[in-house]
């Protein structure tokens, strides 16, 4: 079992070898899960690994987690801990990898995205990151020893934090960011007073610091509530399937999602709420974009 070069956790199921997971990867019954568990009591998207501050946490998504004899929504991972994912199946935390800093890629539309490991870079527009095995990539980035490698066309070069490169007129920079203070969804923009969101799934009430609350209903409210429940950026397919189900074709799902997001941004603007409260991240992920002073409550 070779550890990756970045933040990761090694989790071992009872009947197989330990698997290294990086933040944002899924545990579940789905074929796309990084740690696939063939158990009828495990959900397709059961749990997700997340980096919160300087800790790795396992977040319950569509399934249950049991730790310390209690059902919980979040578990802070510690070596040796056992986490139940069904009545008959538990995972053991074999190892944790938490360096002092993480490597990020900054560029158009990427907003200093943490690199989970080997990735493919698609120039878009807009630019986005995907799995290293994704087809049609314009470039590949991967960790190699104490540095990173960039492959573009027939050229390969080494990169260190602080190095920049240009592809098709777009400039990107590799940077190191301290793990302390890293949060997957919150960013600071100088606002001292935030929004208060009360999510009831089919309706969401947004209370600004000043002014009247904005009530959002229907599909738009369901999108916000789904993102609030996840608590981390999720892929657009997972978000859309959570609202419209898995029987809808990917093309129709994307069309419905794009239309719903467009209408949601219009509703937010009309109510004087920042339109990027729900926003695509440019790498196939969508997040509930919270400022440090924002709060979310789910009824």
């Amino acid at each position: 079992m070779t550890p990756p070069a970045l933040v990761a956790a090694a989790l071992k199921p009872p009947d197989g070898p330990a698997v290294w997971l990086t933040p944002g990867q899924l545990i579940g019954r789905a074929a796309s899960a990084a740690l696939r568990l063939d158990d009828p009591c495990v959900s397709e998207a059961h749990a997700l690994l997340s980096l919160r501050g300087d800790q790795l946490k396992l977040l319950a998504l569509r399934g249950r987690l049991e730790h310390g004899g209690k059902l919980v929504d979040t578990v802070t991972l510690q070596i040796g801990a056992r986490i139940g994912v069904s009545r008959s199946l538990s995972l053991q935390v074999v190892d944790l990898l938490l360096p002092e800093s993480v490597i990020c890629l900054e560029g158009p539309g990427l907003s200093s995205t943490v690199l989970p490991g080997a990735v493919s870079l698609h120039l878009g527009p807009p630019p986005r990151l995907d799995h290293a095995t994704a087809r049609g990539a314009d470039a590949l980035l991967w960790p190699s020893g104490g540095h990173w490698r960039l492959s573009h066309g027939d050229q390969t070069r080494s990169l260190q934090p602080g190095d920049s490169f240009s592809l098709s007129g777009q400039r990107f920079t590799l940077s190191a960011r301290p793990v302390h203070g890293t949060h997957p969804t919150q960013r600071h923009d100088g606002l001292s007073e935030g929004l208060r969101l009360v999510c009831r799934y089919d309706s969401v009430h947004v209370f600004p610091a000043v002014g009247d609350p904005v009530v959002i209903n229907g599909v738009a409210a369901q999108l916000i509530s789904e993102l609030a429940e996840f608590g981390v950026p999720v892929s657009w397919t997972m978000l859309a399937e959570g609202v419209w189900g898995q029987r809808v074709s990917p093309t129709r799902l994307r069309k419905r999602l794009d239309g719903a997001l467009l209408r949601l941004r219009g509703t937010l603007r009309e109510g004087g709420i920042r339109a990027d409260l729900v926003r695509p991240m440019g790498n196939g992920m969508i997040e509930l974009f919270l400022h440090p002073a924002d709060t979310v409550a789910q009824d």
Side-chain angles (χ1 to χ4, degrees), residues 220-256:
Q222 293 172 17
L223 292 172
I224 294 176
S225 296
E226 289 278 347
L227 289 170
E229 181 179 347
F230 281 117
V232 293
V234 298
S235 67
W236 74 265
T237 52
M238 182 180 297
L239 177 61
E241 287 174 355
V243 174
W244 290 286
Q246 298 181 340
R247 296 184 179 181
V248 182
S249 69
T251 301
R252 292 180 62 190
L253 272 180
R254 186 72 210 204
K255 185 175 181 180
R256 290 183 181 183

Side-chain angles (χ1 to χ4, degrees), residues 119-120 122 128-138 140:
V119 296
S120 61
H122 303 256
R128 62 182 176 87
L129 297 176
D130 206 339
H131 299 292
T133 56
R135 297 181 180 180
D138 295 292
L140 295 174

Side-chain angles (χ1 to χ4, degrees), residues 113-200:
T113 301
V114 176
L115 297 180
V119 296
S120 61
L121 174 60
H122 303 256
L123 297 178
R128 62 182 176 87
L129 297 176
D130 206 339
H131 299 292
T133 56
R135 297 181 180 180
D138 295 292
L140 295 174
L141 281 161
W142 70 96
S144 179
H147 59 276
W148 281 74
R149 303 279 283 172
L150 168 69
S151 176
H152 173 58
D154 57 356
Q155 298 181 349
T156 301
R157 57 173 290 195
S158 296
L159 295 172
Q160 297 285 354
D163 290 345
S164 297
F165 60 92
S166 294
L167 299 176
S168 299
Q170 300 182 77
R171 188 172 181 82
F172 301 90
T173 301
L174 204 68
S175 63
R177 190 168 71 189
V179 169
H180 288 275
T182 299
H183 192 283
T185 58
Q186 293 186 354
R187 294 171 177 83
H188 180 61
D189 70 346
L191 296 181
S192 58
E193 297 185 51
L195 302 173
R196 181 165 65 92
L197 280 67
V198 179
C199 301
R200 301 186 174 97

Side-chain angles (χ1 to χ4, degrees), residues 74-143:
T74 304
V75 179
T76 300
L77 301 188
Q78 296 180 339
I79 295 176
R82 288 189 176 274
I83 303 165
V85 292
S86 75
R87 296 184 186 277
S88 60
L89 194 154
S90 63
L91 302 174
Q92 182 179 8
V93 183
V94 176
D95 202 356
L96 296 174
L97 190 63
L98 276 167
E100 294 182 356
S101 63
V102 291
I103 302 299
C104 305
L105 185 65
E106 301 174 2
L110 294 180
S111 300
S112 190
T113 301
V114 176
L115 297 180
V119 296
S120 61
L121 174 60
H122 303 256
L123 297 178
R128 62 182 176 87
L129 297 176
D130 206 339
H131 299 292
T133 56
R135 297 181 180 180
D138 295 292
L140 295 174
L141 281 161
W142 70 96

